[in-house]
Amino acid sequence: MSTATTDPGADISVKEMFLRIYRLFWNKRFGLMLIFAMALWTLFGVLFAQVDAESFADKERYASFLEQTRPKYGGWTPILSALGMFHVFSSWPWRIIIVLLVLSIIACTVHRLPQLWKNATAPHTHVREGFFEHSRTRRTVELPIGADEAIAEMEHKLGKQGYRTIRDDRDGALNLYADKNRFFPLGTAVAHLAFILILLGALVTSNTGFREDEFTVPVGMGAQEVGHDTGLSVEAKSFTDSYHDDGRPMDYAADLVLFKDGQQVKQHLVRVNSPMNYDGVSFHQSYFGFAAEMTVADAKGQQITHTAVPLQYSTEDKTQNYGKLDLPQQNRQVFVVQPASGQTDAQIGPGQVMVEVYDATTEQQVDRQVLTQGEPLTVGDLKLTFQRERQFTGLMINKDYGAPLVWTGAGLLLIGMVCTMLLRHKRLWVRVRPTSDGAQLRVASPDRHDMLFEQKVTRLVDSIGEKHDDNSRSDDRVHA
């Protein structure tokens, strides 16, 4: 006599491997673990300062970001950087979690769809007698009419209320299955698809596109390049701000002209709640202020640049506003300083700005001087001229490739929630048996407790009994 044994080291077929992976992904515990991991990683993204994907890809810009964050995180800065805490939403762990969660949702949906479809198209119509004794919702009534008439009337009333009815006569009784909103449980699959689109949209958003929160455009100084390989540039023709009598802001509006590869493609009056959109790129009015129009020349008088420096930053004591002009070819940084609105400065008079020139490599100050409007002055090895004061508009620019997926997902999620929560699948099993005095009508449903549904079932059954015999014997047994 031989005994069959199974070799634990035997090769697993490709089909069996696929089934094991499939079972893992539709396992609820595995899905919950992934949701917990996503929530934890999202918490890290909230707790730690984040750098955009484009800056992270640029070694110099990322190094500058780390230097700015070092005072806050100290010696932990390189460790947190190595763990990806400063670019959580574009890191590989985040991408892997999202992809695994998407696969888990797909597996769960595929696993449930056959049963949902079967319930809608080929429901289980016959139940045992005990079903009518133990269901959550149940009702029994004795009728002084024949069984055929009772089942026909029940079928007619259910049909008028929008129920689909299926006759299933067997075991010496007349049986009827009825349901309503049979396809709406498929809203679960719609909701799952919505979550997939939202997750994929979040993944696309965090790894593609771009966002500029401090893009400044001085008024009347020509078009400023947007960059990011868009071929776009934007020019501010004018800027207006108006206020209520009590000083509260009433309206900010920038008249912007948009160019694509040097050709004008759009002009729009941008307000806080009225952005300009073109080819998926959005331009939002964010802030505004004053800029110093400057001419910079070298020591020989050869002009280096003529630009406007937005004074968009404030000192810690809020008494001065300043802006920065980078001159990489000269290895210089020029800071332009002016008293903040409503502030006075003993060194800087009306019509003046103070400039500070720094060595870009050593960050050591080369020289500092006060410039009077229209009067050139040599500061270090540069000849600077403060031409005039201008307004600037601060824009928030972004291109979000994942937005269409997120918005589509949000719409599908709303549809799925309406289908599954407000238009739930209602099912009833009806059994009629002939008795010596007429017929016994029994109705039951195993679905979750719903007081309104139970009341409708009670009224439906009672309406048949009351119609034929006001003195009919009724066993009222509706239970949650």
Side-chain angles (χ1 to χ4, degrees):
M1 179 177 180
S2 62
T3 304
T5 60
T6 302
D7 181 7
D11 292 337
I12 301 175
S13 67
V14 175
K15 179 179 179 181
E16 178 61 26
M17 179 63 70
F18 174 79
L19 290 175
R20 290 187 182 186
I21 296 174
Y22 173 63
R23 285 193 291 267
L24 171 66
F25 276 96
W26 67 256
N27 184 280
K28 290 183 179 179
R29 291 184 179 179
F30 183 68
L32 289 174
M33 287 174 58
L34 291 174
I35 292 173
F36 175 77
M38 186 181 72
L40 183 62
W41 216 248
T42 302
L43 179 62
F44 291 152
V46 173
L47 294 178
F48 297 104
Q50 298 295 298
V51 65
D52 61 89
E54 191 168 290
S55 296
F56 177 70
D58 188 312
K59 292 183 178 180
E60 292 185 2
R61 291 171 65 178
Y62 185 59
S64 176
F65 169 82
L66 292 179
E67 287 303 316
Q68 293 175 10
T69 57
R70 192 175 298 276
K72 182 176 181 180
Y73 301 108
W76 286 95
T77 303
I79 299 175
L80 293 173
S81 176
L83 292 174
M85 293 297 102
F86 298 131
H87 57 103
V88 165
F89 302 112
S90 59
S91 64
W92 278 108
W94 171 261
R95 296 172 185 173
I96 292 171
I97 291 170
I98 295 298
V99 170
L100 290 179
L101 186 55
V102 166
L103 292 176
S104 176
I105 295 174
I106 292 174
C108 288
T109 305
V110 171
H111 184 68
R112 292 191 60 188
L113 265 179
Q115 186 61 46
L116 292 173
W117 184 254
K118 182 179 178 181
N119 290 341
T121 58
H124 183 71
T125 58
H126 187 73
V127 292
R128 297 178 180 274
E129 198 69 31
F131 176 83
F132 294 93
E133 299 289 342
H134 304 292
S135 292
R136 290 187 179 92
T137 300
R138 58 186 188 269
R139 179 96 170 139
T140 302
V141 65
E142 303 291 339
L143 300 175
I145 57 175
D148 289 332
E149 184 180 354
I151 198 73
E153 188 161 342
M154 192 67 179
E155 188 173 14
H156 174 71
K157 285 183 175 290
L158 287 169
K160 288 182 64 177
Q161 294 187 18
Y163 281 83
R164 171 187 63 164
T165 56
I166 300 175
R167 289 289 294 269
D168 184 15
D169 298 339
R170 65 176 86 175
D171 299 335
L174 303 179
N175 300 297
L176 183 68
Y177 168 81
D179 66 0
K180 187 176 183 180
N181 303 331
R182 57 184 170 133
F183 288 109
F184 284 110
L186 294 172
T188 301
V190 175
H192 285 180
L193 175 61
F195 283 121
I196 291 171
L197 292 178
I198 291 172
L199 289 172
L200 290 177
L203 189 63
V204 170
T205 295
S206 60
N207 290 278
T208 63
F210 65 89
R211 179 187 178 102
E212 291 276 0
D213 290 326
E214 297 181 347
F215 188 86
T216 55
V217 185
V219 175
M221 290 298 294
Q224 306 293 312
E225 296 289 340
V226 173
H228 304 281
D229 297 322
T230 61
L232 297 176
S233 57
V234 61
E235 178 182 356
K237 291 291 187 181
S238 65
F239 182 87
T240 56
D241 52 308
S242 55
Y243 301 85
H244 294 282
D245 293 337
D246 58 3
R248 291 181 296 110
M250 182 167 58
D251 188 27
Y252 305 141
D255 185 9
L256 300 184
V257 179
L258 188 65
F259 299 88
K260 172 74 172 181
D261 298 326
Q263 300 295 318
Q264 181 176 333
V265 292
K266 194 166 188 177
Q267 184 167 359
H268 187 77
L269 191 63
V270 177
R271 291 185 166 89
V272 174
N273 295 316
S274 178
M276 176 172 64
N277 298 290
Y278 177 80
D279 194 25
V281 182
S282 299
F283 298 79
H284 298 261
Q285 175 62 45
S286 181
Y287 59 104
F288 66 96
F290 291 100
E293 182 181 339
M294 304 288 296
T295 299
V296 182
D298 59 21
K300 296 180 180 180
Q302 184 69 33
Q303 181 172 305
I304 297 171
T305 185
H306 176 218
T307 187
V309 182
L311 309 180
Q312 58 182 320
Y313 306 111
S314 298
T315 55
E316 291 185 3
D317 58 7
K318 307 298 182 183
T319 60
Q320 293 177 327
N321 293 332
Y322 67 94
K324 184 178 72 169
L325 174 63
D326 289 314
L327 303 172
Q329 292 185 352
Q330 286 71 35
N331 195 35
R332 292 290 184 262
Q333 289 181 331
V334 179
F335 287 84
V336 183
V337 185
Q338 193 178 59
S341 178
Q343 300 290 327
T344 59
D345 193 299
Q347 300 181 65
I348 310 172
Q352 294 182 327
V353 296
M354 182 169 64
V355 293
E356 299 176 352
V357 179
Y358 287 81
D359 185 295
T361 302
T362 64
E363 298 184 354
Q364 296 295 315
Q365 188 179 98
V366 175
D367 196 2
R368 181 174 67 175
Q369 298 288 344
V370 174
L371 302 184
T372 300
Q373 184 174 331
E375 298 180 6
L377 185 65
T378 300
V379 185
D381 53 358
L382 300 174
K383 183 174 286 187
L384 306 177
T385 305
F386 170 42
Q387 300 289 2
R388 56 169 292 186
E389 191 178 76
R390 289 184 177 272
Q391 282 186 306
F392 77 85
T393 177
L395 304 175
M396 182 180 71
I397 306 178
N398 67 77
K399 183 167 186 176
D400 187 354
Y401 294 98
L405 290 173
V406 173
W407 282 110
T408 302
L412 290 176
L413 181 60
L414 179 61
I415 294 173
M417 291 177 63
V418 169
C419 291
T420 56
M421 300 182 69
L422 300 181
L423 298 170
R424 73 180 186 86
H425 190 199
K426 299 175 181 178
R427 302 178 298 168
L428 285 173
W429 281 261
V430 181
R431 177 161 295 168
V432 178
R433 289 188 181 278
T435 65
S436 58
D437 298 328
Q440 180 191 62
L441 172 66
R442 309 188 77 181
V443 179
S445 174
D447 297 333
R448 69 176 187 267
H449 174 62
D450 184 336
M451 185 65 70
L452 183 61
F453 177 60
E454 292 177 357
Q455 291 174 354
K456 288 182 178 180
V457 172
T458 299
R459 287 196 297 267
L460 175 66
V461 175
D462 287 349
S463 67
I464 297 177
E466 293 170 356
K467 175 180 178 181
H468 295 283
D469 187 359
D470 293 336
N471 297 319
S472 63
R473 293 172 287 112
S474 175
D475 177 18
D476 186 357
R477 292 184 294 173
V478 177
H479 300 278

